[in-house]
Amino acid sequence: MKPEETTILLLHGFPFGPEMWSRQRATFAAKGCRVVAPDLRLETSPATMDDMAAEAVAALDAAGARQAVVVGFSMGGYVAFALLERYPERVAGLALVDTRAEADGEEGKAGRRKLAAEALERGPQAAVDAMLGKLLSPATRERRPDVAEEAKRIMLSTSGKAIAAAALGMAERPDRTAMLSGIRVPTLVVVGEDDAITPPALARGLADAIPGAALRVLPEAGHLAVMERPEAFDEALAAWLENI
Ligand code: MLT
């Protein structure tokens, strides 16, 4: 794909916002791509993955982009599946980053409801307390305190209402494993080697289930690989884009 003819749609994770993509925005805009990074922090509860996909499509419309390479990180990956299902004609390629196709189990759903209630009561600090410790690789925790600080800052900029709405929306997302074998767009699966939330074994399963999908495992990166190892992530995405 030629960069100047490519729109990249960056779908952020939970409880983050589009700011988490600041490095990717700069890298791919400098290559000549059109970059669209919508804010998916909806406050109407539950904020379903379909609601967020509709928001992302509205952002593509506003940018005048008919099709995009959809890059979904974690919750953004769940949104990417919803977008592919509902608006397949808008998807030119798919990059699934530190994410999964499975729905939550009963324990996971209960955890979401608990976090939603706490976020409404205590605000975004509830999500920081529940999640920050699990997001980063040991290498990042030791050597890059700035990444933890930046992640925390973005999390704290998300309202308790948006956190609750997204948590409840994720709890009711459907299992997408049945759609994987029918995916016909070029697909890249990326995972941090130390991702404790969506580990590499899960990413391998995801890549194996999607016809022709490529897999990249980023060393010394955890769940938040795109912020922990932005150069490695951007290189992997750029190299894959060149070949599709
Ligand atoms: C994310 O990073 O978006 C979340 O870890 C997704 C989730 O909680 O399932």
Side-chain angles (χ1 to χ4, degrees):
M1 262 184 191
K2 293 200 179 81
E4 61 279 7
E5 289 165 14
T6 306
T7 300
I8 299 185
L9 176 66
L10 299 171
L11 303 176
H12 65 78
F14 168 85
F16 293 93
E19 271 177 291
M20 69 165 288
W21 297 114
S22 58
R23 289 290 300 264
Q24 288 70 35
R25 254 188 141 123
T27 302
F28 289 95
K31 288 181 191 294
C33 299
R34 173 161 48 184
V35 182
V36 180
D39 195 332
L40 304 174
R41 293 177 291 189
L42 311 178
E43 292 195 339
T44 311
S45 188
T48 65
M49 303 305 101
D50 281 358
D51 294 337
M52 294 185 199
E55 192 73 14
V57 166
L60 286 182
D61 288 343
R66 240 199 61 69
Q67 273 207 325
V69 172
V70 180
V71 181
F73 161 68
S74 201
M75 180 187 77
Y78 313 155
V79 178
F81 287 128
L83 206 154
L84 185 61
E85 191 173 83
R86 297 190 59 194
Y87 313 92
E89 71 287 355
R90 309 301 292 261
V91 183
L94 198 56
L96 299 167
V97 186
D98 297 282
T99 192
R100 66 172 79 220
E102 294 81 8
D104 290 343
E106 282 316 310
E107 201 181 316
K109 286 182 187 177
R112 303 272 193 211
R113 287 193 286 270
K114 183 164 174 274
L115 177 56
E118 283 178 5
L120 287 176
E121 205 182 301
R122 299 204 282 128
Q125 186 63 46
V128 173
D129 294 345
M131 295 187 65
L132 190 57
K134 295 185 248 173
L135 292 173
L136 306 173
S137 69
T140 305
R141 281 201 300 269
E142 270 165 38
R143 292 183 231 139
R144 299 286 313 275
D146 56 307
V147 176
E149 275 313 306
E150 177 65 358
K152 188 171 161 186
R153 193 185 65 72
I154 301 173
M155 289 164 103
L156 289 175
S157 74
T158 304
S159 71
K161 245 177 147 177
I163 290 172
L168 297 176
M170 285 191 287
E172 64 176 60
R173 76 186 190 281
D175 188 288
R176 303 284 188 188
T177 47
M179 78 184 282
L180 301 179
S181 63
I183 294 180
R184 292 288 176 267
V185 291
T187 300
L188 171 69
V189 177
V190 184
V191 68
E193 72 171 346
D194 297 317
D195 185 340
I197 297 178
T198 48
L202 211 66
R204 260 181 219 111
L206 188 56
D208 285 348
I210 300 173
L215 172 69
R216 285 293 304 270
V217 182
L218 302 183
E220 299 198 332
H223 187 61
L224 210 45
V226 296
M227 287 176 65
E228 294 175 79
R229 301 287 318 280
E231 307 84 3
F233 174 77
D234 292 2
E235 261 175 49
L237 185 60
W240 170 74
L241 279 172
E242 263 173 38
N243 286 316
I244 65 172

